[in-house]
Amino acid sequence: MSTPWHILGAGSLGTLWATRLARADVPVRLIVRDATRLQAYQTAGGLTLVEHGEAQLYPVPGETADSDEPIRRLLVACKAYDAEEAVARLAHRLTPDAELILLQNGLGSQDAVAAQVPQARCIFASSTEGAFRDGDWRVVFAGHGYTWLGDAGHPVAPIWLEDLSAAGIPHEWSTDILTRLWRKLALNCAINPLTVLHECRNGGLQQHHCEVATLCAELTELLERCGQPAAAENLRVEVERVIQATAANFSSMYQDVANQRRTEISYLLGHACKVASRHQLNLPHLNQLQQRLIAHLHSLGLPSD
C-alpha cells in the first residue's frame, strides 16, 4: 500500500495536485481548516477538476488537523503567511520519517516551517503551473507548467516522485532549488508590485521600461551578494521576456489586491529588502517600492505583512 498524500490547503495548486493524484489512484487526504469547512466539503462530495471544459468530481477523503491518522507525506499548499502556523497544528501527527513538500511563493516561510519540525525532511518546490478556483472545492487547470523540487541539505531524489509521474504532474528534481527560488523571487519582485501600483496587466509594464530596468539592476546586485550568481544571470532579459509572454495576464499580487485578499508581500519584496538590509546593501529603489506598496495596501484597508 503506497503512503497517502496529505494535502494541506484547498487553494488552486493544492486542489490541482489532490485531484490528479486521486485520478491516478494514489491515496490522498485533504486537510481542511475546521469542522465547519469539513462539513461543507463533505456536502460537496469531493474536489472537482475542470480540464478542457470537462468537470470531474473526485471524492477525496477530508479531515481536520485534529484527526488521529499519522502523516508521513504532507504537501503544504497554503499561502506563505499561513504555512508556519498550519504546520505547527499538525506537528504532533508527523511520523519520525515525515517528508513535507513546501509549495509556497517567495522565500522565508520555508525556513520558518522547517524550524517548526526539525525531525522532518522539508523539500522546497517551485511551480509555474496555472490554475484558478471558480468555486468552492473546484479548480480549473489553466495552463501547463512545471514543478521543480529539491532539498538543499539532501540532494538525493525521493522515491515518491513516481507518484507525480503517475499523476501526470510535470516535475523535475533540482539540485539547485535555492537558485530557482531566488530567481523566481526576483522575477516576482520586478513585476508583481508594479502591476499593483500601476493597476495594469503584466504587459502594461512595457510602458514603465526604465523603472523595471532599475529594479532589475538592484535585484541583480542583491542576488550576487547573497551568493546566487546563477539566479542573477541575465535577470533583466528574463523579466522583459516574462512581461511580454504573459502580457495579457494579471499578476497573482494584482489579483489578490483586486479581490481584497492579503498579499504575500512579506515573502517577496519584504524578504528581498530584509536580506539586503542584513547584507548592509543599499537598494534605494527596491526599498522605495516596498514603501509605496505598503502605503497603497493601507489605503485599501489591506494588511501589509
Side-chain angles (χ1 to χ4, degrees):
M1 180 68 179
S2 58
T3 301
W5 284 74
H6 284 81
I7 312 277
L8 179 61
S12 51
L13 283 181
T15 305
L16 186 61
W17 278 53
T19 49
R20 288 185 296 181
L21 287 164
R23 183 170 62 187
D25 293 323
V26 175
V28 184
R29 312 271 184 277
L30 181 71
I31 301 170
V32 299
R33 194 182 312 123
D34 52 35
T36 307
R37 287 297 281 162
L38 182 58
Q39 195 170 4
Y41 176 64
Q42 288 168 341
T43 302
L47 296 172
T48 299
L49 172 64
V50 182
E51 202 172 1
H52 310 305
E54 296 284 317
Q56 179 71 47
L57 179 72
Y58 295 94
V60 172
E63 61 186 51
T64 64
D66 305 326
S67 169
D68 294 330
E69 188 184 352
I71 296 172
R72 191 170 164 208
R73 186 167 307 136
L74 179 68
L75 176 72
V76 183
C78 49
K79 292 282 193 181
Y81 47 73
D82 284 332
E84 186 181 357
E85 190 182 332
V87 169
R89 289 181 60 204
L90 292 169
H92 66 286
R93 292 178 55 189
L94 297 176
T95 63
D97 61 346
E99 293 175 299
L100 278 64
I101 299 94
L102 306 179
L103 201 53
Q104 279 62 55
N105 269 334
L107 282 164
S109 67
Q110 298 92 338
D111 289 336
V113 167
Q116 286 273 3
V117 286
Q119 82 281 16
R121 182 186 188 187
C122 288
I123 288 161
F124 295 3
S126 176
S127 178
T128 59
E129 291 205 288
F132 63 90
R133 288 186 298 168
D134 70 344
D136 235 5
W137 319 114
R138 284 172 60 92
V139 66
V140 179
F141 190 19
H144 288 274
Y146 223 76
T147 300
W148 287 269
L149 305 106
D151 178 351
H154 185 54
V156 179
I159 196 159
W160 49 255
L161 291 180
E162 294 167 358
D163 286 354
L164 304 190
S165 300
I169 297 172
H171 66 280
E172 185 181 311
W173 183 255
S174 172
T175 52
D176 59 351
I177 191 65
L178 285 177
T179 297
R180 291 204 171 274
L181 288 169
W182 270 108
R183 179 74 160 191
K184 192 177 178 193
L185 177 121
L187 288 167
N188 281 332
C189 286
I191 296 171
N192 291 16
L194 289 179
T195 64
V196 172
L197 292 169
H198 293 300
E199 299 183 329
C200 65
R201 296 174 192 264
N202 292 356
L205 297 185
Q206 289 165 332
Q207 314 305 315
H208 303 279
H209 184 76
C210 289
E211 201 172 4
V212 171
T214 304
L215 285 175
C216 287
E218 290 194 351
L219 286 161
T220 296
E221 207 181 328
L222 174 64
L223 292 170
E224 287 171 347
R225 180 69 68 91
C226 290
Q228 292 292 339
E233 212 169 293
N234 296 322
L235 178 65
R236 180 178 162 184
V237 173
E238 175 80 349
V239 166
E240 287 171 354
R241 187 194 67 75
V242 170
I243 287 170
Q244 205 167 357
T246 63
N249 298 1
F250 287 108
S251 75
S252 56
M253 189 178 279
Y254 178 100
Q255 291 177 58
D256 282 340
V257 172
N259 290 303
Q260 286 284 297
R261 289 194 299 252
R262 182 178 176 183
T263 69
E264 293 177 297
I265 177 176
S266 296
Y267 302 93
L268 297 166
L269 195 53
H271 186 78
C273 290
K274 192 160 60 178
V275 172
S277 171
R278 200 184 301 149
H279 284 286
Q280 297 180 320
L281 194 58
N282 182 31
L283 302 177
H285 294 90
L286 205 63
N287 287 317
Q288 186 190 38
L289 181 65
Q290 185 187 27
Q291 294 314 311
R292 284 165 62 200
L293 185 57
I294 287 171
H296 183 69
L297 294 173
H298 283 170
S299 75
L300 297 172
L302 289 171
S304 60
D305 60 356

